[in-house]
Amino acid sequence: TVVDAVLLWKESVDKQMEGVEPCPICYGVLHPKTMNLPNTSCANCHYKFHSVCLTQWFRTSNKVKCVLCQQDWVY
């Protein structure tokens, strides 16, 4: 509903104001389906991603490299 969308937007803005950076893949602070914060970080550049976004990136790009720094992803 519209109310749910506005509440999600407000919570996302609140998190950004607290200093949480958005996921570089979906550009959101809260993942729209899981409501999780970006929690999986690259060992090289240290950016944080939603694990769901990162899994989708690996699957569709046929790469296992960081979206931003393009270094091999280390688990």
Side-chain angles (χ1 to χ4, degrees):
T1 67
V2 174
V3 173
D4 292 334
V6 170
L7 291 173
L8 177 61
W9 173 80
K10 181 192 176 309
E11 190 172 346
S12 184
V13 169
D14 289 345
K15 292 294 182 189
Q16 282 184 315
M17 297 305 272
E18 293 172 8
V20 177
E21 296 209 14
C23 171
I25 298 172
C26 73
Y27 304 111
V29 174
L30 293 173
H31 190 273
K33 292 182 181 174
T34 64
M35 302 299 289
N36 291 334
L37 295 171
N39 58 358
T40 305
S41 60
C42 173
N44 185 56
C45 69
H46 305 289
Y47 271 93
K48 290 185 178 181
F49 304 88
H50 296 117
S51 57
V52 174
C53 295
L54 201 54
T55 300
Q56 182 69 15
W57 164 258
F58 292 155
R59 188 177 19 212
T60 59
S61 70
N62 294 319
K63 299 182 201 177
V64 185
K65 296 184 178 283
C66 176
V67 177
L68 297 177
C69 70
Q70 291 297 302
Q71 296 299 311
D72 289 336
W73 192 266
V74 179
Y75 292 95

